[in-house]
Amino acid sequence: MNRHHWWRDAVIYQVYVRSFLDSTGDGIGDLAGVRAGLPYLRKLGVDGIWLSPFYPSPQHDHGYDVADYRDVDPVFGDLAEFDRLVAAAHRLGNRVLLDIVPNHCSSEHPWFREALAAAPGSPERARFHFADGRGSDGGEPPNNWHAMFGGPAWTRVTEPDGRPGQWYLHMFTPEQPDWNWREPAVAAEFDRTLRFWLDRGVDGFRIDVAAGLFKHPDLPDSPDPEADARTRDSVNPLAWNQPEVHGVWRHWRAVCEEYTVRDGRERLLVGEVSVPSAREHAKYVRPDELHQAFFFDLLGAPWDADAFRKVVSEAMQDIAGTGSTVTWVLNNHDQVRTVTRYGEPAEGSGLGAARARAAALLMLALPGAAYIYQGEELGLPEVVDLPDDVLTDPIFRRTGSRARIRDGCRVPLPWSGQASPFGFTSGTESAKPWLPQPEYFAEYATHRALADTRSSWHLYRDGLQLRAALHQLGEGSLHWLETQPGVLAFTRGDDLVCAVNFGTAPVPAPVPGTPLLASGPCPPGELPGSTAAWWIDGS
């Protein structure tokens, strides 16, 4: 790996802080818990960590409603603990990325409180999207947009004199007002935030809603007003992916380059980019913009060899063609866990697990970078039977529907023991994690996974070790091979083949003395031109 460009084929582990490890016994994970877990992650073999938001927040959307971008919420620790975490990670050779939320803030952010107290047309309101309502009394929203988490994207305020007043825009929840990036004060404030954390030693930022920020300047009606709420994705072309956003990323890239020149340590910008196509995606990773952007098409692909080949081919053509590398993901804190997503109960309970293992090794064999969501290395399934009274996802609160809610993938990790809290919290056995853990989590506890060489943890660890050891893997290209139906195969370099069984192809016997991955590596003679191969059985 080219160490100056460490990010091009790095494997980063996403830490959902409140569910990783609790050091205080309050049932909520924290920064000291993350620090205690660093040796575990080093043993796994990842190159760095991405921390979910830990900033002061009323937690209406678990930290993605930020009240102060330059501090630590006391629930998670303080700035001194953050500094200790960064120092410890760097000693172990791991980078640290922070989650930054530039599209919206909390309704308790001081600037939004100032806006509510100020008059229409004031500089304070110009930092957000305030507008007069429609109708004779202004009682209708300024346009017909819907929020991604349900309901209209506008909320009416009560003016300081007590009268019904203007409306403000929020593409997620009313507690998350959208910033107006056409106002220079907003860009300047985020500059200060970037530099605050860069000065504290962070290695980069994961950028939430990176295709957002700018809205159409006229805020016109959408031809499909319910598209965002219906798809739970940023598809309204008037609210997302506006051309002006690229200027922000060029500026942020320049800030990162400034720090790289200063100390020779390259900083990373990776965007959460939801756009219609790989070609649009590629615009965000041009040489002077974001270093990386998550490529979600692999995550969304059905379990089908042809579908995976199409997704990978488009990414390699459009994204790698910019000079960047593709950033592969199979899961994150917003998605159903991979084991459950790939499972088909009628086919047997082990099918989802087999497919998840195969998909993980496929991802690690692809050219570029990869991100792993915490718990995926344990093979954790989605917790699908959480009681209504413990659900915290604002989607459930706003819609009343459990469809695609995100609590099930955020249940705290099991570390040890036979009963909840499974070592997650340092409190007593009666300590309750912020979301309840099911009894079957005992089967997936970390201490059991490390002791069982057949576990998903060892599969991930072995795959990461091979990725680091084999020069053919990491950054580079691939060449597709013709195969029988239901099998996907490609070469990496001149002498390594990755073959994935998506159907019922027979699994060849392993070569004696060759390390087993999923169902064993394919004998070299069975695939053309190979002296090494991964045979990954997802059937």
Side-chain angles (χ1 to χ4, degrees):
M1 183 187 300
N2 183 331
R3 285 296 165 189
H4 180 65
H5 299 299
W6 61 269
W7 50 271
R8 294 184 66 85
D9 54 5
V11 179
I12 305 296
Y13 186 95
Q14 181 190 354
V15 176
Y16 194 71
V17 177
R18 67 186 297 115
S19 296
F20 185 71
L21 186 59
D22 167 28
S23 72
T24 63
D26 64 357
I28 300 174
D30 47 53
L31 294 180
V34 177
R35 181 162 58 91
L38 287 175
Y40 162 80
L41 296 178
R42 185 58 181 166
K43 185 181 295 185
L44 181 63
V46 297
D47 298 303
I49 58 175
W50 146 32
L51 300 173
S52 62
F54 51 77
Y55 315 109
S57 165
Q59 302 293 321
H60 290 293
D61 189 19
H62 289 320
Y64 286 92
D65 49 323
V66 181
D68 183 348
Y69 287 86
R70 299 195 287 273
D71 205 350
V72 176
D73 193 303
V75 169
F76 301 118
D78 54 27
L79 284 170
E81 178 54 49
F82 174 80
D83 291 340
R84 287 191 287 270
L85 168 57
V86 172
H90 286 170
R91 283 196 299 272
L92 291 173
N94 283 144
R95 271 83 174 188
V96 178
L97 308 182
L98 302 194
D99 210 322
I100 192 166
V101 190
N103 180 72
H104 50 268
C105 65
S106 167
S107 55
E108 296 186 20
H109 190 285
W111 278 19
F112 190 71
R113 289 180 171 179
E114 291 174 10
L116 293 178
S122 63
E124 290 82 1
R125 290 203 172 178
R127 299 165 177 164
F128 302 91
H129 294 278
F130 278 86
D132 295 332
R134 296 192 288 197
S136 59
D137 61 351
E140 298 295 326
N143 66 28
N144 65 354
W145 297 0
H146 281 236
M148 286 179 62
F149 289 175
W154 295 90
T155 291
R156 197 174 193 184
V157 305
T158 300
E159 300 294 353
D161 62 6
R163 293 182 298 175
Q166 289 189 306
W167 299 70
Y168 69 89
L169 179 69
H170 50 84
M171 294 304 297
F172 291 88
T173 72
E175 294 84 11
Q176 294 168 289
D178 281 40
W179 292 106
N180 177 15
W181 274 82
R182 299 184 189 280
E183 168 55 47
V186 172
E189 178 67 2
F190 275 93
D191 265 20
R192 289 187 284 270
T193 295
L194 289 181
R195 294 180 182 279
F196 176 86
W197 295 111
L198 289 168
D199 287 340
R200 300 192 90 91
V202 304
D203 299 282
F205 302 92
R206 177 267 187 185
I207 304 164
D208 188 58
V209 195
L213 281 61
F214 286 86
K215 279 64 181 173
H216 190 288
D218 299 328
L219 299 175
D221 277 345
S222 169
D224 186 359
E226 297 183 3
D228 283 340
R230 183 177 64 251
T231 63
R232 276 276 322 283
D233 204 353
S234 47
V235 296
N236 178 352
L238 303 169
W240 313 106
N241 199 26
Q242 298 293 297
E244 296 92 334
V245 75
H246 295 283
V248 176
W249 308 139
R250 283 190 287 272
H251 176 71
W252 284 27
R253 178 68 174 259
V255 171
C256 287
E257 297 294 344
E258 175 188 328
Y259 278 80
T260 299
V261 170
R262 180 183 303 179
D263 60 17
R265 192 161 55 87
E266 194 166 20
R267 308 313 200 275
L268 169 66
L269 296 173
V270 55
E272 180 197 33
V273 174
S274 295
V275 289
S277 67
R279 186 164 298 177
E280 281 294 310
H281 181 111
K283 295 178 181 179
Y284 286 81
V285 291
R286 290 175 289 198
D288 61 344
E289 295 194 34
L290 304 178
H291 300 80
Q292 296 176 330
F294 297 128
F295 187 64
F296 294 120
D297 291 29
L298 188 67
L299 184 159
W303 186 254
D304 176 82
D306 292 338
F308 267 59
R309 178 168 177 161
K310 179 176 184 294
V311 163
V312 172
S313 295
E314 289 177 352
M316 294 301 298
Q317 175 181 319
D318 294 326
I319 298 170
T322 67
S324 180
T325 55
V326 185
T327 305
W328 307 102
V329 291
L330 286 171
N331 218 304
N332 60 38
H333 62 293
D334 290 330
Q335 304 294 330
V336 174
R337 284 198 177 275
T338 313
V339 166
T340 302
R341 197 172 71 242
Y342 286 150
E344 296 178 13
E347 300 288 345
S349 60
L351 183 63
R355 289 175 173 177
R357 292 164 66 95
L361 289 177
L362 167 65
M363 178 178 71
L364 293 178
L366 291 171
Y371 281 66
I372 299 169
Y373 177 52
Q374 68 177 36
E376 290 292 291
E377 80 282 7
L378 301 175
L380 282 179
E382 183 87 353
V383 181
V384 298
D385 56 354
L386 292 167
D388 286 357
D389 61 355
V390 305
L391 296 178
T392 61
D393 194 327
I395 298 169
F396 178 71
R397 297 199 309 269
R398 287 182 61 77
T399 67
S401 171
R402 297 174 67 99
R404 300 180 66 186
I405 57 173
R406 302 165 295 170
D407 293 281
C409 69
R410 301 177 179 185
V411 174
L413 295 183
W415 290 86
S416 61
Q418 298 299 315
S420 182
F422 297 112
F424 165 71
T425 175
S426 62
T428 65
E429 284 295 316
S430 62
K432 292 185 178 181
W434 69 278
L435 280 175
Q437 301 159 305
E439 292 182 4
Y440 64 76
F441 262 30
E443 303 171 24
Y444 300 92
T446 299
H447 82 289
R448 292 185 62 170
L450 268 65
D452 181 2
T453 56
R454 299 167 300 173
S455 70
S456 290
W457 189 90
H458 280 274
L459 183 88
Y460 270 85
R461 196 278 306 272
D462 293 348
L464 287 166
Q465 285 187 339
L466 284 172
R467 183 181 169 98
L470 298 176
H471 68 86
Q472 303 97 322
L473 296 174
E475 186 177 354
S477 60
L478 63 77
H479 174 71
W480 295 110
L481 298 174
E482 293 302 319
T483 64
Q484 60 186 296
V487 174
L488 186 71
F490 55 85
T491 59
R492 296 297 317 277
D494 295 328
D495 55 2
L496 188 143
V497 170
C498 174
V500 186
N501 183 9
F502 282 79
T504 57
V507 180
V511 176
T514 307
L516 282 169
L517 292 176
S519 294
C522 179
E526 297 203 9
L527 290 170
S530 63
T531 58
W534 291 5
W535 175 265
I536 309 169
D537 186 22
S539 64

